Amino acid sequence: MKVVLRQEFPLGRFHATPWRVNPYDDPHGEWPPSPWRLVRAVTARWYQWAREASPEVDVSQLERLQAALCRSTYAFHLPPGARKGSPLRQYHPTEFAMDPPNWRDVGVFARTSKVPKKGKKGQQGEKEVTEDEKKIEKQVKELKIKKLSLDIADSGRWTIEVKALKQAARDGASIERLEKILGRPTEDWRRIADAGRRSYGTSLVQDNYWCVPPESPVWWFIEGDDWTDDLRALFARCLERMTYCGRAETFTRIRVVGSAEDIPTTPNCTLVHERTAGAAPVLSPLSNATRDDIERTTDNPEAVKRTVPPGAQRLYAVLPPRPVSREHRRVPAHQSDCHLMQFAIGWNVAPDPRAIVRLTSRFRGAVLRELLRLKTGDASATWTRVGKNIRAAVADMAGKDANDEPLNGHCHTEFLAWCEGRQPTRLLVWRASRAFDADEQEAILLAAARDVSWAAAGVGSEEWKVRLVPLDREVPAPPGFDGKSSIIWESVTPYVPPRHHLRGGKEREGEAISDQIRRELLLRGVDRDVDVDLVGPPEWVSVHVPRRAANKRAFIGDRRGQMIRLRFASPVVGPIRLGHSSSFGLGLFRPVHEPDQP
């Protein structure tokens, strides 16, 4: 008769140490669960069932069940996804006892007293040992005795401590070397013990285990001539009481299955006598194993020094080939007509508002790297290394053409920051000219999967980072990006004039902030009939400096930004972003609706 078992590991791990195997030297771990372990576990559960049964059961039932298990053959269908886990090492408590204290030998020597330290005339306070005593002190230190401390009091009393760990014997050699230099102490060496305490001792253990998918059971195929329906039923009652297999942390569910269930047709793991490459040793019961053999404990004198216990034999499990692990590439759903992608900004330390451009420019760089990697399949691809055809394909994201010249017409992608309460709360990726395609959306999401630093370059730049959380399309666009018009607009981030508007502290003719704003509005095709009001004092902000201009003195350093309020003669549709670094988050405006506004 064939008996089929279904065994699951709900916690996804099977912890077990084979018989008499040092866990530190075990390259395999126990896999599959050994038949010898099953026989012993079933025996233990039979005793549990016998205590619960009424009337009292005959122990001959157990012997018949053990005989059937020992005379059977075993095969398995193992989950292909099972893997040997990385060993864990833990300190386990052992014996509760007195923790022996530390010991030290203390000797006091009478030497010459300290003298006032040389210094400026009239200076008082510190003292030091004489030149002769300094030489002796140097000789003591050159002995390089471990755990030695030396204290020299102003009175000339030298106190030396030689420490010994726990109950180790006195360090007589070190003491003898000290006495050759210092002579005998004024009193004999004193042995002093620090305070001890009662606590558990510890032992370092290694935990080898196998990772088993909880949804993938281990199938046991047990076949023998001794099985009857009664034995099969008794076997099932014992298995019902088995809650763990191997070490106690291996929670398991195991049961006898019927023929109506979906059972694998053939096993994928068999036990053989000859070892082959890749086969793992497994203990299995001998056909003539006795009840005493099975119930023998590991510290029994007949078994304690044997690598294979009496009544068992070592077989070898031919494991099924393991499929190659591959990472499942995350392919986000492509959103059609996507001009705006939003990310919530999470932080432990809020980004400095003046560092907005650092945040957006670094995120733009990460997006470009991901996009070049997707286009070329080369993880090390950079803008300077790829060909012109690739450059042209990512020009709208980079903001420059294949010849490294800036694009005209504001058709490129812009990386903006939305602020609430002067703190950046959302990072926006916006492009009005064309919707983002599938590669661009994937590159943006891949770049957002990594933390982004907002700190200045240099030491500590990696410490101040934010995490970007993608927001789906159910989150409404910020005001100004929703297509609604407004007459009044005010700054979300500081406006930085693209040209210097002051010279010698005086306003340059034709370069006032209002003049520069009107010119730029005209270039962008927006109504230039606007009143410009400055709000609050100017503030310093970092701006984007192209790499080709990073060495020019005029571009180094922060710029003064200004919060602005615009009032147009007629409603204007957003988004409005003006001035220097407006593609990197500066000069962004939001609509303001006043009560008297139509």
Side-chain angles (χ1 to χ4, degrees):
M1 176 183 287
K2 177 187 288 186
V3 180
V4 180
L5 307 183
R6 174 189 171 106
Q7 184 174 22
E8 301 172 358
F9 298 97
L11 299 183
R13 287 185 176 183
F14 172 60
H15 303 258
T17 302
W19 182 279
R20 297 285 299 166
V21 169
N22 185 345
Y24 294 94
D25 299 330
D26 182 16
H28 303 286
E30 182 172 302
W31 188 251
S34 73
W36 179 249
R37 187 179 299 281
L38 178 69
V39 174
R40 288 165 59 84
V42 168
T43 300
R45 298 286 73 80
W46 183 89
Y47 281 106
Q48 178 185 352
W49 170 75
R51 289 193 297 271
E52 299 168 358
S54 179
E56 187 175 345
V57 295
D58 190 354
V59 75
S60 62
Q61 291 185 0
L62 172 62
E63 293 172 348
R64 289 177 53 219
L65 178 59
Q66 289 176 332
L69 287 168
C70 293
R71 294 170 187 165
S72 297
T73 60
Y74 293 84
F76 302 87
H77 187 93
L78 302 176
R83 298 282 191 280
K84 188 174 186 298
S86 299
L88 304 175
R89 293 188 176 183
Q90 306 152 353
Y91 282 99
H92 285 187
T94 53
E95 183 181 1
F96 187 74
M98 187 69 184
D99 184 20
N102 293 324
W103 294 84
R104 52 200 166 98
D105 292 303
V106 181
V108 179
F109 301 82
R111 307 289 306 181
T112 56
S113 56
K114 290 184 177 179
V115 296
K117 189 175 181 179
K118 295 180 180 177
K120 295 181 179 178
K121 187 176 182 180
Q123 186 177 19
Q124 298 180 356
E126 296 183 18
K127 294 182 178 180
E128 62 179 357
V129 295
T130 62
E131 293 299 324
D132 293 338
E133 294 297 290
K134 283 182 180 178
K135 293 178 182 177
I136 295 176
E137 182 184 5
K138 184 179 179 182
Q139 293 176 21
V140 170
K141 292 181 178 179
E142 287 178 346
L143 293 176
K144 296 182 179 179
I145 298 173
K146 290 184 178 178
K147 302 184 183 303
L148 180 141
S149 66
L150 170 64
D151 178 69
I152 303 175
D154 291 346
S155 61
R157 168 179 162 142
W158 289 37
T159 304
I160 293 183
E161 290 186 3
V162 181
K163 293 184 179 179
L165 289 178
K166 307 299 179 184
Q167 293 180 338
R170 169 174 290 177
D171 187 0
S174 296
I175 289 175
E176 185 177 350
R177 294 162 66 195
L178 287 168
E179 289 181 348
K180 284 184 179 178
I181 301 173
L182 300 171
R184 293 283 300 172
T186 54
E187 298 179 0
D188 201 4
W189 290 86
R190 289 177 300 154
R191 197 82 194 278
I192 300 175
D194 295 334
R197 61 192 176 102
R198 295 184 67 85
S199 65
Y200 282 100
T202 56
S203 175
L204 181 64
V205 298
Q206 177 162 307
D207 180 6
N208 297 325
Y209 61 91
W210 274 73
C211 300
V212 188
E215 66 282 1
S216 302
V218 175
W219 297 92
W220 294 66
F221 298 92
I222 306 173
E223 194 163 2
D225 298 331
D226 294 346
W227 290 99
T228 62
D229 291 339
D230 292 343
L231 273 183
R232 192 171 183 273
L234 176 61
F235 189 29
R237 284 194 288 273
C238 294
L239 294 178
E240 288 172 356
R241 288 160 175 78
M242 189 185 298
T243 55
Y244 68 92
C245 180
R247 287 203 293 278
E249 61 264 39
T250 307
F251 180 48
T252 189
R253 286 194 288 259
I254 184 169
R255 61 184 174 86
V256 178
V257 297
S259 57
E261 297 195 35
D262 186 14
I263 303 172
T265 55
T266 57
N268 60 4
C269 174
T270 56
L271 303 183
V272 297
H273 290 274
E274 298 296 331
R275 184 165 196 170
T276 57
V282 172
L283 287 184
S284 181
L286 289 169
S287 60
N288 58 352
T290 64
R291 181 179 155 209
D292 289 339
D293 292 336
I294 295 171
E295 298 179 2
R296 189 172 284 119
T297 57
T298 53
D299 58 351
N300 186 285
E302 297 182 31
V304 70
K305 293 186 178 179
R306 300 183 56 166
T307 56
V308 178
Q313 60 179 333
R314 179 178 288 143
L315 301 180
Y316 297 94
V318 181
L319 301 176
R322 193 171 62 186
V324 179
S325 299
R326 296 183 186 279
E327 181 183 4
H328 292 285
R329 184 182 173 190
R330 183 173 60 89
V331 182
H334 173 220
Q335 299 178 1
S336 59
D337 195 26
C338 176
H339 294 266
L340 174 67
M341 297 182 70
Q342 304 184 71
F343 299 89
I345 302 176
W347 61 70
N348 290 325
V349 177
D352 189 345
R354 67 185 294 175
I356 286 175
V357 169
R358 291 191 208 123
L359 176 64
T360 54
S361 63
R362 284 175 182 156
F363 182 65
R364 168 184 171 272
V367 172
L368 268 179
R369 285 192 294 274
E370 293 293 342
L371 188 56
L372 290 172
R373 184 181 65 81
L374 291 175
K375 294 290 185 186
T376 62
D378 181 6
S380 61
T382 60
W383 176 263
T384 56
R385 292 180 184 175
V386 299
K388 287 192 175 182
N389 57 335
I390 299 295
R391 290 188 188 186
V394 301
D396 287 349
M397 187 64 73
K400 47 191 177 183
D401 61 17
N403 297 318
D404 219 14
E405 295 295 330
L407 298 180
N408 295 321
H410 297 284
C411 59
H412 59 282
T413 305
E414 300 175 59
F415 297 81
L416 312 173
W418 186 260
C419 297
E420 295 175 5
R422 301 305 304 275
Q423 291 294 337
T425 57
R426 269 190 266 184
L427 192 147
L428 313 174
V429 186
W430 163 262
R431 188 169 65 203
S433 62
R434 180 171 65 83
F436 298 117
D437 60 26
D439 283 348
E440 290 172 331
Q441 292 183 36
E442 184 176 354
I444 293 170
L445 292 174
L446 288 172
R450 300 189 185 91
D451 294 348
V452 185
S453 173
W454 55 266
V459 178
S461 63
E462 294 298 313
E463 296 180 4
W464 309 108
K465 291 184 175 181
V466 299
R467 178 156 297 179
L468 302 177
V469 181
L471 302 177
D472 62 20
R473 304 190 76 171
E474 298 299 322
V475 179
F481 291 82
D482 50 8
K484 297 180 181 178
S485 61
S486 178
I487 292 178
I488 303 173
W489 296 74
E490 66 179 15
S491 293
V492 175
T493 55
Y495 165 82
V496 177
R499 296 170 61 86
H500 292 294
H501 65 101
L502 297 176
R503 176 175 293 167
K506 297 181 180 178
E507 196 86 21
R508 293 177 64 195
E509 184 177 357
E511 299 295 347
I513 290 179
S514 57
D515 295 332
Q516 295 193 42
I517 288 178
R518 291 191 180 96
R519 282 202 300 268
E520 187 169 356
L521 288 172
L522 181 63
L523 290 173
R524 290 178 179 261
V526 183
D527 185 6
R528 61 170 297 177
D529 188 3
V530 58
D531 294 331
V532 179
D533 296 325
L534 309 185
V535 179
E539 54 190 278
W540 292 98
V541 292
S542 62
V543 297
H544 175 70
V545 178
R547 186 167 297 179
R548 58 180 176 274
N551 296 328
K552 296 182 180 178
R553 182 179 176 82
F555 293 97
I556 296 175
D558 293 351
R559 302 287 182 86
R560 288 211 306 181
Q562 179 68 55
M563 304 300 281
I564 303 289
R565 187 180 178 90
L566 306 176
R567 179 181 287 273
F568 292 92
S570 58
V572 172
V573 178
I576 295 178
R577 59 275 182 222
L578 303 171
H580 196 295
S581 302
S582 61
S583 297
F584 292 88
L586 294 182
L588 181 62
F589 290 79
R590 67 181 178 89
V592 178
H593 295 279
E594 293 185 343
D596 57 347
Q597 186 178 343

